[in-house]
Amino acid sequence: MKNIKERVAYLKGLSDGLGITHETKEGRLLIAIIDVLDDIAESIEILEENQNELDEYVDAIDQDLADVEDEIYEDYDEDDEEDYDEDFEDYDDFDDNGFVEVECPNCHEKVYLDKEMFEDEDEDGEIVCPNCDKPIYFVEHCNCEDDDCDCYKE
């Protein structure tokens, strides 16, 4: 099948060959339709060119992203992930990316906390809300039901 631009050019040639002119109502209508088709064909051609450029650009971005992923994850070791996950078994709310969703008690906005925030033993359990800049306190509790146990931090 020929492209649209060529088909519209064929219609223009056909109308010229048939002697269709602006002198009749039907002639004006057909010539106007062919002109609109020509404009549409031009727009489609431009869209196709832009789409091809966009495809090439997305492919380049995809390749760059693959290079960045290779650079970041080149030293990744699955054993490290298992050790890391064992340290945070008590935090069941962590998603696959290592974040837990918490509502700030001050501004009531949702805040996503990283596993690394819970790693530091030196911290007093205070995290600053990025929305309102006020502290968010958290308490790590144990899973046992004994109220007198010493396995939780305050």
Side-chain angles (χ1 to χ4, degrees):
M1 182 192 288
K2 298 178 182 177
N3 72 33
I4 297 173
K5 191 79 169 159
E6 291 174 350
R7 293 173 70 188
V8 172
Y10 172 76
L11 290 176
K12 278 186 176 184
L14 189 60
S15 68
D16 290 342
L18 293 175
I20 298 174
T21 64
H22 289 285
E23 294 174 5
T24 64
K25 294 178 187 178
E26 295 83 7
R28 284 192 297 272
L29 176 65
L30 288 174
I31 291 173
I33 290 172
I34 292 172
D35 289 341
V36 169
L37 288 174
D38 189 39
D39 292 342
I40 292 172
E42 183 70 31
S43 295
I44 289 174
E45 190 174 293
I46 291 170
L47 285 173
E48 286 176 346
E49 290 172 4
N50 290 342
Q51 182 64 39
N52 290 336
E53 288 177 21
L54 187 59
D55 285 343
E56 290 174 10
Y57 185 67
V58 168
D59 288 342
I61 290 173
D62 185 44
Q63 182 60 44
D64 291 345
L65 180 60
D67 293 343
V68 169
E69 287 174 344
D70 290 344
E71 185 71 29
I72 290 174
Y73 297 116
E74 72 182 346
D75 295 330
Y76 177 74
D77 185 9
E78 290 184 19
D79 294 335
D80 292 341
E81 182 180 331
E82 290 173 13
D83 294 341
Y84 192 67
D85 289 340
E86 287 173 11
D87 293 338
F88 297 100
E89 289 177 357
D90 294 338
Y91 299 103
D92 295 333
D93 295 334
F94 284 112
D95 64 9
D96 293 337
N97 296 324
F99 292 95
V100 64
E101 181 180 304
V102 176
E103 182 177 323
C104 175
N106 303 306
C107 66
H108 303 290
E109 290 291 326
K110 291 180 182 177
V111 178
Y112 295 91
L113 303 177
D114 189 359
K115 282 184 182 181
E116 293 175 7
M117 294 178 172
F118 294 93
E119 261 185 355
D120 298 331
E121 297 291 331
D122 300 335
E123 289 204 18
D124 59 356
E126 180 181 313
I127 296 174
V128 177
C129 176
N131 297 317
C132 66
D133 293 327
K134 293 183 181 176
I136 301 173
Y137 297 97
F138 63 91
V139 178
E140 180 180 337
H141 294 281
C142 70
N143 290 332
C144 72
E145 297 178 12
D146 184 9
D147 293 335
D148 296 327
C149 74
D150 292 331
C151 57
Y152 68 89
K153 300 177 189 176
E154 290 188 29

